[in-house]
Amino acid sequence: MKTLYAADLDGTLLCPGAVLSPFSRSALNKFTSHGLLITAATARTPATVVDILAGTGELAPAAMMNGVLLFDMAKRKIISAETLSAETRGHILSCASRHRVPSMIYTLSSGALKVFYRDDGSELTRGFVEARNKTPYKTWQTVCSYGEVKNENAIYLAAVGPREELSALAEDVKKDTSLKTVLYREVNYDDVWVFEAFSASASKAKTIRRSAGLCGADRIVAFGDNYNDLPLFEGADVKVAVENAVPEVISAADFVCGSNLSDGVVRWISGDSGILL
């Protein structure tokens, strides 16, 4: 039986601050050198994932942006993307315009990601952008009005901020039932929440199953910690929650491994695969 191990990143495989510990990096490199299929299933984009997982060997295609993208980690290119209708793109832009919290509109053209956002001058927004800027996988552009994005192929909306403001944005966005939405606490910041909206046909489960098919895997083990990992569990044969996961994820899991602070994911893989660390 060939297994694909698919791990969420923030709060699951990564330590606080979006850092992969030296122990986990070394372990992943050992696993891939032994032929294990390892990949990520994350809300992040290639702009940060490629650097975070550098030095871990050849990885299987990854599910990114909550399954909107299937990304070839070896060739560094997008394999496929779940897109939105023109009507839904217009709805997203209208919602972004109506609400105070600055939204980030992700667009895709010729296999390249571009993000348009309204700079509100806050340290949170600028810090978020700075941490993800200046990579070959995504570019950023400020706008005065989201109407400037109407001719772009928008595929995703993301926003960070206080829960109350994001909840109001979420209620507005959810009026379009062709969209899937998630609202969850950002594990790398205190009292900061994240809201994301994307095609209802996209999911981490669907994209990871496709990755497994491309790799010839007939068993999927998934690791998660937060609400947006519950869809990933739906596509897995074995569901593993890290010890620090939210209660709902722990309840949905078949197993609970050590926390992200104790390299729980790679230690569980070691026990499952028989490759000692």
Side-chain angles (χ1 to χ4, degrees):
M1 181 173 288
K2 201 171 184 180
T3 298
L4 173 64
Y5 296 96
D8 170 58
L9 294 181
D10 295 275
T12 302
L13 182 63
L14 304 182
C15 297
V19 175
L20 183 63
S21 77
F23 182 86
S24 283
R25 192 180 306 278
S26 175
L28 292 175
N29 188 59
K30 185 173 184 177
F31 294 150
T32 54
S33 69
H34 279 74
L36 290 193
L37 297 173
I38 308 286
T39 195
T42 177
R44 287 179 174 268
T45 72
T48 53
V49 175
V50 169
D51 285 344
I52 286 171
L53 297 180
T56 57
E58 187 169 324
L59 302 174
M64 298 191 190
M65 300 178 75
N66 285 313
V68 169
L69 298 184
L70 177 61
F71 186 78
D72 189 323
M73 293 293 292
K75 296 180 179 179
R76 302 288 197 262
K77 67 177 186 179
I78 295 171
I79 298 172
S80 63
E82 294 285 350
T83 58
L84 302 173
S85 69
E87 182 179 1
T88 297
R89 293 197 302 267
H91 172 70
I92 281 178
L93 297 179
S94 295
C95 292
S97 299
R98 283 193 290 270
H99 291 267
R100 176 182 173 186
V101 59
S103 296
M104 293 162 238
I105 308 297
Y106 291 71
T107 69
L108 181 64
S109 178
S110 301
L113 285 172
K114 192 170 187 178
V115 191
F116 297 84
Y117 71 104
R118 190 173 58 205
D119 188 352
D120 62 347
S122 73
E123 290 185 11
L124 176 61
T125 301
R126 291 182 175 176
F128 188 91
V129 173
E130 182 63 27
R132 293 157 174 80
N133 206 352
K134 300 177 182 177
T135 80
Y137 306 104
K138 182 169 62 179
T139 58
W140 294 77
Q141 182 173 323
T142 57
V143 295
C144 295
S145 165
Y146 288 109
E148 298 174 41
V149 193
K150 65 180 180 181
N151 294 322
E152 301 286 340
N153 181 28
I155 62 169
Y156 202 90
L157 177 150
V160 292
R163 184 175 187 178
E164 296 75 17
E165 292 183 7
L166 293 182
S167 295
L169 173 62
E171 289 305 311
D172 204 1
V173 171
K174 285 192 289 187
K175 292 174 183 176
D176 186 327
T177 56
S178 70
L179 289 167
K180 182 181 294 181
T181 64
V182 289
L183 177 63
Y184 58 95
R185 188 178 67 81
E186 166 55 66
V187 298
N188 295 307
Y189 298 88
D190 292 330
D191 300 321
V192 173
W193 286 68
V194 178
F195 172 67
E196 296 161 333
F198 46 94
S199 171
S201 63
S203 72
K204 286 184 178 181
K206 177 181 175 180
T207 305
I208 283 300
R209 283 197 298 265
R210 186 166 179 215
S211 177
L214 292 174
C215 297
D218 46 21
R219 175 178 179 250
I220 298 173
V221 177
F223 301 86
D225 76 305
N226 218 329
Y227 297 108
N228 64 336
D229 296 318
L230 291 172
L232 172 62
F233 277 8
E234 293 172 7
D237 299 291
V238 181
K239 312 165 188 64
V240 185
V242 285
E243 191 177 39
N244 54 287
V246 298
E248 291 84 348
V249 171
I250 289 177
S251 295
D254 300 311
F255 299 95
V256 177
C257 68
S259 75
N260 65 325
L261 295 176
S262 60
D263 302 290
V265 170
V266 297
R267 294 183 190 280
W268 198 95
I269 294 174
S270 174
D272 186 66
S273 65
I275 297 175
L276 300 180
L277 299 176

